[in-house]
Amino acid sequence: MKIRFGPCTVDLDTRQLLRNGKEIHLTPKAYALLEILISDRPKVVSKADLQQRIWPDTFVVEANLSSLVAEVRTALDDRARAPRYLRTVHGFGYAFCATTTSDPAPPAVAADLPSCWLKWGGRRFPLAEGHHVIGRDPDVDIRIDASTVSRRHARLVVGAKGVLLEDFGSKNGTFHGETRVTSPVTLTDGDDIRIGSVRVTFHAPALQLSTETQTRTRQ
């Protein structure tokens, strides 16, 4: 999805920031801050919440967050004293305050398998048939850049009979709900998953509808 505001565009799928059509470099943490504020707009996000989401389970001084805010403002050509995009709520946190437009979602494509995806914050990862590796490594299928996530942490296997979640022997574990995954687990619509300390949600409305239909048929 592409979100546009002023001369800027944030592409949530490619993790790119463009200004006047030119890519503007952001460090991974600064991009994470921008994505959180855009995804939660117009809500004010507290400094404590931002620190936990950007540096999960890691203590950092507040100056680190201030440095990221300054980096994002420079990239957006924004000013703290007269903000157009990032608003400071003194003593509490920050909010994204610009008016945005979004590109329409592409039309749905008919497929033999139910449509399903993984949701992390404002990001949505479509899951086609096959294997999808989750981790911090740049070349994985579903990249989650967090310190508690291993480089190759877990895997989702999408097949005709459903979707399986497997752990790759990660240091901080993969959890289905509150249960640590030690063997493949079959997922259902709305399942809560924890990758290290990062919570994501599995969505497959068609799978849920299929299950309900089978239940009514048996009755």
Side-chain angles (χ1 to χ4, degrees), residues 37-73:
L37 293 177
I38 286 178
S39 298
D40 287 15
R41 69 186 187 282
K43 173 186 172 183
V44 180
V45 186
S46 71
K47 294 178 182 179
D49 189 11
L50 287 170
Q51 288 174 334
Q52 175 58 31
R53 292 164 71 176
I54 298 172
W55 296 278
D57 300 326
T58 303
F59 174 78
V60 294
V61 296
E62 190 173 310
N64 288 4
L65 180 59
S66 299
S67 296
L68 293 187
V69 172
E71 181 183 344
V72 172
R73 281 188 169 135

Side-chain angles (χ1 to χ4, degrees), residues 48-128:
D49 189 11
L50 287 170
Q51 288 174 334
Q52 175 58 31
R53 292 164 71 176
I54 298 172
W55 296 278
D57 300 326
T58 303
F59 174 78
V60 294
V61 296
E62 190 173 310
N64 288 4
L65 180 59
S66 299
S67 296
L68 293 187
V69 172
E71 181 183 344
V72 172
R73 281 188 169 135
T74 299
L76 299 179
D77 193 23
D78 200 16
R79 299 290 181 270
R81 293 183 178 275
R84 292 177 294 163
Y85 308 125
L86 298 191
R87 179 169 65 90
T88 300
V89 180
H90 293 288
F92 185 77
Y94 302 93
F96 189 84
C97 57
T99 299
T100 65
T101 58
S102 301
D103 285 353
V109 178
D112 295 333
L113 294 173
S115 174
C116 57
W117 63 91
L118 205 64
K119 186 174 182 182
W120 173 38
R123 300 195 65 190
R124 175 168 158 163
F125 301 92
L127 302 172

Side-chain angles (χ1 to χ4, degrees), residues 211-219:
T211 301
E212 292 173 353
T213 302
Q214 291 175 15
T215 301
R216 287 196 297 268
T217 301
R218 293 192 188 101
Q219 292 175 345

Side-chain angles (χ1 to χ4, degrees), residues 91-204:
F92 185 77
Y94 302 93
F96 189 84
C97 57
T99 299
T100 65
T101 58
S102 301
D103 285 353
V109 178
D112 295 333
L113 294 173
S115 174
C116 57
W117 63 91
L118 205 64
K119 186 174 182 182
W120 173 38
R123 300 195 65 190
R124 175 168 158 163
F125 301 92
L127 302 172
E129 182 176 9
H131 295 186
H132 303 267
V133 177
I134 306 170
R136 191 161 42 88
D137 201 85
D139 66 354
V140 299
D141 304 295
I142 300 173
R143 186 166 186 260
I144 299 179
D145 185 17
S147 60
T148 60
V149 176
S150 300
R151 297 183 70 84
R152 296 176 68 84
H153 195 108
R155 178 173 69 177
L156 290 171
V157 181
V158 181
K161 294 184 178 180
V163 181
L164 296 178
L165 171 66
E166 303 174 347
D167 182 71
F168 275 172
S170 60
K171 178 181 177 182
N172 294 307
T174 301
F175 294 81
H176 178 234
E178 297 303 320
T179 304
R180 186 160 187 160
V181 175
T182 56
S183 59
V185 175
T186 300
L187 298 180
T188 58
D189 180 48
D191 279 357
D192 180 67
I193 300 168
R194 183 153 51 88
I195 309 297
S197 64
V198 178
R199 291 190 177 276
V200 299
T201 311
F202 174 74
H203 293 277

